[in-house]
Amino acid sequence: MDTKIKELLSQLTLEEKAGLCSGKDFWRTKPVERLGIPSVMVSDGPSGLRTQVENGVNENDSRAAVSFPSGCATASSFDRNLLRNLGEILGEEANNYNVSTVLGPAINIKRSPLCGRNFEYLSEDPYVAGELGAAYVKGVQSKNVGTSVKHFAANNQETNRFSVSEEVDERTLREIYLPAFENCVKNSAPTTIMCSYNAINGELSSQNKWLLKDVLRDEWGFKGMVVSDWGAVYDRVKGIKADLSLEMPYSGGHTDNDIVQAVKAGTLTMEELDEAVSHVLEMVLNYTEHKQSGVFDMDKDHAESARIAEESCVLLKNDNAVLPIKASAEKVLFTGCFAENPRYGGGGSSKIKCYKMTSAVDAAREAGLGVKYVKGYNEDFVTTTAALTDEAVAAAREADTVVVFAGLPESYETEGADRTTLDMPQVQNELIEKLAAVNKNVVVVLHNGAPVAMPWVDKVAAILECYLGGENIGTAQVNLLFGKANPSGKLAETFPLRLEDTPCYLTYPGNGRTCVYSEGIFVGYRWYDSRKMPVLFPFGYGLSYTTFEYSNLKVSKSAFKDSDGVEVSITIKNTGSVEGKEVVQLYVSDKTGVEVRPEKELKGFDKVNLKPGESKEVTFKLDRRSFAFWNIDIDDWYAPSGKYIISIGASSRDIRATAEVDVTSTSKKAFTITPQTTMGDMLRNREMAAIIKPEFDQACHAVIGDLSDEEFAKLFPFTKDAMIEMTKSNPFRLNRGKNGITMEDILKQVERYNKELDK
Ligand code: BGC
């Protein structure tokens, strides 16, 4: 601990210490003026800086700020540098407004497309969420502004978010819901982590010692401060013991008093309280003592918002190269109110009061494109009139290309409530169908924070998924539609065909009190790909105006130890006629058969920019973790020895090259052998098989001997092969009594096996 902090701790009274553990108001920490401890402000986050004027919470009380594309969009960029740049911009703005901490990134896993807050979150894949989350943290913190990686953990639904208990087994937590946070902690050292509202397996995150202390601090080495989500605290004293340092917002003094009383009663030690206070002091002093001046230019950032959106939009369909639109030669119709009034961000704490909005209609006008615009439906996005529809259909008949701007109104997806359907408003679906009936070049431009159903998917020529693209989405849309920019986003989540197909359809969002994660590790593409299910658009998918060729896949070694890892490279060539960017994805499939694993898992991605005809080699480094699963028997990551397939592709369903490798595990023991262990359990594992195989062969021989198939059939009601399979399922204890074998002998035998593997 820093000497200055030690010194302060020795001077603070019990009441002052307790006071430092909760906010002064909605956005600020408490000062202790007599000791020169200042108050600092924090602000949302994550896709723009929502600093409040005075102590307000509403959009109207916010300072106008540049709104950037939401997490659902930026994740589709698959671009670490872009997320880092976004972080740097927010860091500059934060310094300018004396904001010590930006409350983001929000990196919870998209368990169900229905989660009302998916628009803020990054991906259904923990590797993508972790890599991009860490890049954002590095960007913000490069300006000496803190971040708050949220919401730790398993905050995957808005229904009953303050109280629901997410019932998740440990392997699923370790493989799906925790790794993005782990990645941020280990690779970007966030100054704070925000605990979630929900409970995990019955214990609220705000007082969950296993989560905050054992895993986050002790195992991952988190050095910063845990802050509560706003209103997440229930038992404050338990929270202090569990490593929750700062409660936000103000607690009206009630929980400060709980702390004071607990110390007086001896149920909370001064050391436990000092630990919490020290993290608060570090957070406050790190900001104030190294404060940088923030220089930023709103117009520059407004332009940057469009650039980020351009990198993030995903081209889902483009039949007959209807896009890009050749502006000079075509009569273009824009219709649908989102063209004039785009949905730029989601509802709730991340809502930005925009500095200025540029819609597609504005951008087309500014670019002098001579596009015609008719509304198509009412400004509420959910109702229409016959006159509006007729006007749009008539205009569509006259146009060469029709661009219909559609999507979800804010009331459909917002913080605090989950969606109940994937459907877009009926009037919009109907309008799209009617337009497609009169014009073969219909382009749908979507504004939504999460997947929607597309009943018209086969009837339209093109679909551009823009998610919630920030205040300058109009510029990005026009640049992409007219080919000034080339789409390069890929989906960081699967678009399912039906809600009924989604992994947690049967259990989401639970009965209110609990929600059981019965799909386990099979989330997103891990589910759809393992089940070979058709989807609307797969994870990792997105088109470009150019084409890419993948060749020359190389692995540095075809056999290696898990601890050594391997390098994989592939050459990507732009085979089209325009410059473009490709998101190259690397997946690993475990073929060892040791544990139940998803069909494949993403373990690397990179985005490369290529001029027409240009080639570049992309290299990935895989380590032990790239091959490992969370082994509950040894409480650790474990990569079983055996074969793995490395696949490189343009999406999870478009694999362009594969290589088989052989991994040798350096942790020999997959589990502790007991009298209930079967020979088959051991045979599945290469190291264990080596010690049991002779014995197994002997056991089979003892029964089969030199019997021919016919002789064997006379003695047993099954075949030799079936007998061998059956023997694999025999636990060692079944040998008791055979040839005088006692339980003691069996215990000695398993002890010998365990020792051999421990060597
Ligand atoms: C949200 C957080 C947010 C906080 C402060 C909470 O309701 O869950 O994400 O940072 O409010 O606005």
Side-chain angles (χ1 to χ4, degrees):
M1 201 187 289
D2 185 281
T3 40
K4 172 150 189 200
I5 289 177
K6 268 195 199 147
E7 180 66 29
L8 287 171
L9 285 173
S10 70
Q11 293 169 327
L12 285 160
T13 64
L14 170 60
E15 286 71 17
E16 285 168 339
K17 286 180 185 177
L20 281 167
C21 293
S22 69
K24 171 179 174 234
D25 54 31
F26 215 82
W27 301 111
R28 274 167 276 246
T29 60
K30 289 199 194 85
V32 180
E33 270 147 25
R34 73 177 185 91
L35 297 174
I37 301 171
S39 156
V40 295
M41 178 163 75
V42 301
S43 282
D44 283 308
S47 52
L49 202 64
R50 190 174 67 110
T51 47
Q52 303 294 133
V53 181
E54 292 310 316
N55 196 24
V57 288
N58 293 321
E59 194 190 339
N60 291 341
D61 306 321
S62 305
R63 269 196 197 92
V66 175
S67 139
F68 294 92
S70 301
C72 53
T74 55
S76 313
S77 74
F78 277 82
D79 187 338
R80 296 172 183 88
N81 291 332
L82 195 81
L83 273 285
R84 195 187 155 107
N85 291 161
L86 170 59
E88 286 164 357
I89 295 171
L90 294 174
E92 289 284 358
E93 292 193 11
N95 273 324
N96 187 277
Y97 292 124
N98 293 319
V99 170
S100 70
T101 306
V102 176
L103 302 177
I107 61 168
N108 291 100
I109 294 299
K110 301 181 191 211
R111 176 175 175 236
S112 165
L114 297 182
C115 173
R117 243 178 138 170
N118 275 2
F119 68 86
E120 261 183 272
Y121 299 147
L122 300 175
S123 181
E124 67 187 22
D125 180 84
Y127 181 72
V128 176
E131 287 292 294
L132 299 181
Y136 176 105
V137 169
K138 283 181 199 162
V140 176
Q141 294 191 177
S142 69
K143 305 292 172 187
N144 192 49
V145 170
T147 54
S148 202
V149 181
K150 63 191 187 184
H151 312 88
F152 190 56
N155 190 167
N156 307 116
Q157 66 186 68
E158 292 300 282
T159 308
N160 277 6
R161 63 175 169 161
F162 289 97
S163 56
V164 68
S165 177
E166 309 292 348
E167 302 290 309
V168 205
D169 66 89
E170 181 161 4
R171 179 173 170 206
T172 300
L173 283 170
R174 295 287 190 161
E175 290 187 26
I176 305 293
Y177 298 102
L178 300 185
F181 292 95
E182 181 183 1
N183 187 335
C184 286
V185 168
K186 290 182 174 168
N187 296 316
S188 64
T191 54
T192 84
I193 295 273
M194 187 190 294
C195 78
S196 59
Y197 286 131
N198 54 278
I200 299 178
N201 299 325
E203 187 66 284
L204 286 171
S205 298
S206 61
Q207 52 194 55
N208 193 325
K209 177 176 167 294
W210 172 79
L211 185 72
L212 305 183
K213 192 156 183 55
D214 301 350
V215 175
L216 175 64
R217 191 159 312 266
D218 295 345
E219 202 182 302
W220 297 347
F222 176 58
K223 297 274 184 287
M225 176 192 87
V226 181
V227 55
S228 74
D229 198 346
W230 270 230
V233 169
Y234 182 43
D235 183 333
R236 186 64 188 106
V237 174
K238 206 168 171 188
I240 296 271
K241 286 175 183 285
D243 213 350
L244 173 74
S245 299
L246 178 64
E247 172 185 4
M248 285 301 280
Y250 54 87
S251 70
H254 302 297
T255 52
D256 300 356
N257 190 41
D258 291 347
I259 296 173
V260 170
Q261 295 313 321
V263 173
K264 286 187 178 158
T267 50
L268 180 71
T269 67
M270 194 57 96
E271 289 69 38
E272 287 169 324
L273 179 56
D274 282 356
E275 177 77 25
V277 177
S278 71
H279 296 306
V280 177
L281 292 175
E282 261 164 41
M283 175 258 187
V284 169
L285 299 179
N286 274 347
Y287 182 67
T288 48
E289 292 188 350
H290 308 103
K291 166 105 178 60
Q292 298 179 4
S293 59
V295 185
F296 75 100
D297 170 340
M298 299 269 253
D299 289 307
K300 194 163 149 260
D301 291 353
H302 181 71
E304 202 47 26
S305 183
R307 187 184 75 86
I308 294 172
E310 270 169 30
E311 297 284 330
S312 306
C313 293
V314 187
L315 182 62
L316 296 176
K317 184 171 180 187
N318 192 17
D319 284 359
N320 308 320
V322 60
L323 293 178
I325 302 166
K326 284 119 228 114
S328 51
E330 293 184 30
K331 277 191 274 170
V332 181
L333 171 70
F334 279 6
T335 185
C337 292
F338 285 108
E340 233 187 343
N341 187 12
R343 193 161 154 243
Y344 61 91
S349 60
S350 64
K351 184 118 190 241
I352 298 296
K353 181 172 170 185
C354 291
Y355 162 59
K356 72 179 173 203
M357 278 298 311
T358 304
S359 70
V361 168
D362 298 332
R365 200 171 290 139
E366 270 167 38
L369 288 168
V371 166
K372 179 179 168 114
Y373 169 66
V374 298
K375 274 184 4 186
Y377 49 81
N378 280 325
E379 269 133 17
D380 62 4
F381 306 105
V382 291
T383 62
T384 193
T385 61
L388 285 173
T389 311
D390 292 349
E391 182 190 28
V393 172
R397 275 205 181 91
E398 301 302 312
D400 295 315
T401 306
V402 178
V403 186
V404 51
F405 291 74
L408 299 176
E410 189 176 305
S411 60
Y412 276 45
E413 47 180 358
T414 184
E415 178 176 335
D418 292 318
R419 281 193 297 168
T420 53
T421 167
L422 298 179
D423 294 340
M424 296 203 319
Q426 184 68 5
V427 295
Q428 294 189 34
N429 283 335
E430 281 169 10
L431 178 68
I432 295 170
E433 302 258 1
K434 285 183 179 146
L435 297 172
V438 300
N439 191 309
K440 64 179 182 359
N441 291 335
V442 170
V443 178
V444 180
V445 172
L446 289 172
H447 307 72
N448 45 309
V452 290
M454 303 183 197
W456 31 260
V457 67
D458 295 325
K459 298 179 186 157
V460 301
I463 305 168
L464 184 66
E465 174 57 76
C466 298
Y467 280 112
L468 306 181
E471 65 175 44
N472 201 355
I473 182 61
T475 302
Q477 286 167 336
V478 166
N479 286 347
L480 290 164
L481 290 169
F482 289 86
K484 202 169 160 196
N486 187 352
S488 64
K490 301 240 183 172
L491 296 178
E493 63 188 321
T494 308
F495 275 47
L497 279 170
R498 311 178 308 155
L499 186 58
E500 291 81 353
D501 293 345
T502 58
C504 55
Y505 171 68
L506 296 174
T507 54
Y508 190 90
N511 63 11
R513 296 178 312 284
T514 58
C515 182
V516 180
Y517 286 39
S518 52
E519 73 287 357
I521 55 172
F522 294 96
V523 175
Y525 67 89
R526 286 167 169 78
W527 164 265
Y528 301 106
D529 290 358
S530 301
R531 301 199 61 197
K532 299 192 171 31
M533 291 169 75
V535 296
L536 183 56
F537 295 108
F539 175 84
Y541 170 82
L543 302 171
S544 163
Y545 295 151
T546 187
T547 46
F548 301 98
E549 184 186 273
Y550 289 57
S551 68
N552 203 18
L553 170 65
K554 287 186 283 193
V555 284
S556 58
K557 294 165 275 189
S558 58
F560 49 90
K561 280 198 217 147
D562 59 357
S563 51
D564 291 346
V566 68
E567 232 177 68
V568 184
S569 61
I570 189 146
T571 303
I572 314 293
K573 182 174 182 190
N574 181 343
T575 47
S577 54
V578 288
E579 186 169 351
K581 289 182 182 159
E582 173 69 327
V583 176
V584 186
Q585 299 152 48
L586 183 150
Y587 297 87
V588 172
S589 311
D590 178 346
K591 297 289 173 192
T592 66
V594 167
E595 189 47 90
V596 176
R597 309 273 314 252
E599 192 254 343
K600 61 176 168 315
E601 297 183 273
L602 187 82
K603 297 296 169 183
F605 64 83
D606 205 357
K607 191 168 192 176
V608 269
N609 184 53
L610 295 165
K611 298 210 160 56
E614 193 186 2
S615 300
K616 272 184 197 157
E617 193 177 61
V618 178
T619 304
F620 302 95
K621 281 199 171 71
L622 301 181
D623 58 15
R624 175 169 180 258
R625 186 72 179 263
S626 313
F627 298 92
F629 68 90
W630 180 261
N631 184 337
I632 53 167
D633 291 303
I634 59 170
D635 259 339
D636 201 358
W637 294 99
Y638 178 71
S641 294
K643 305 280 175 223
Y644 293 80
I645 304 287
I646 294 172
S647 308
I648 299 208
S651 87
S652 61
R653 296 271 170 108
D654 183 7
I655 299 302
R656 306 289 183 89
T658 59
E660 187 182 279
V661 292
D662 185 283
V663 176
T664 296
S665 173
T666 45
S667 37
K668 286 164 73 183
K669 203 156 146 185
F671 49 82
T672 299
I673 301 158
T674 72
Q676 275 294 71
T677 303
T678 69
M679 291 201 186
D681 295 337
M682 291 178 70
L683 285 170
R684 267 192 294 281
N685 179 284
R686 198 149 82 188
E687 290 71 30
M688 290 182 154
I691 65 167
I692 198 73
K693 187 75 173 47
E695 200 171 308
F696 176 73
D697 290 344
Q698 213 182 347
C700 294
H701 187 76
V703 183
I704 301 171
D706 298 324
L707 295 176
S708 68
D709 288 349
E710 292 72 35
E711 287 165 336
F712 190 83
K714 280 189 200 139
L715 295 172
F716 298 100
F718 37 75
T719 64
K720 280 188 200 172
D721 286 349
M723 200 288 291
I724 292 171
E725 281 312 306
M726 284 162 76
T727 308
K728 285 184 188 165
S729 294
N730 290 351
F732 294 118
R733 68 165 173 80
L734 274 193
N735 289 334
R736 187 178 188 182
K738 287 185 197 156
N739 305 321
I741 297 176
T742 63
M743 193 44 120
E744 210 180 359
D745 295 332
I746 293 167
L747 285 168
K748 272 197 196 131
Q749 182 195 26
V750 298
E751 196 188 330
R752 181 164 52 76
Y753 292 153
N754 279 318
K755 276 205 182 123
E756 213 164 309
L757 286 165
D758 282 338
K759 269 190 234 152

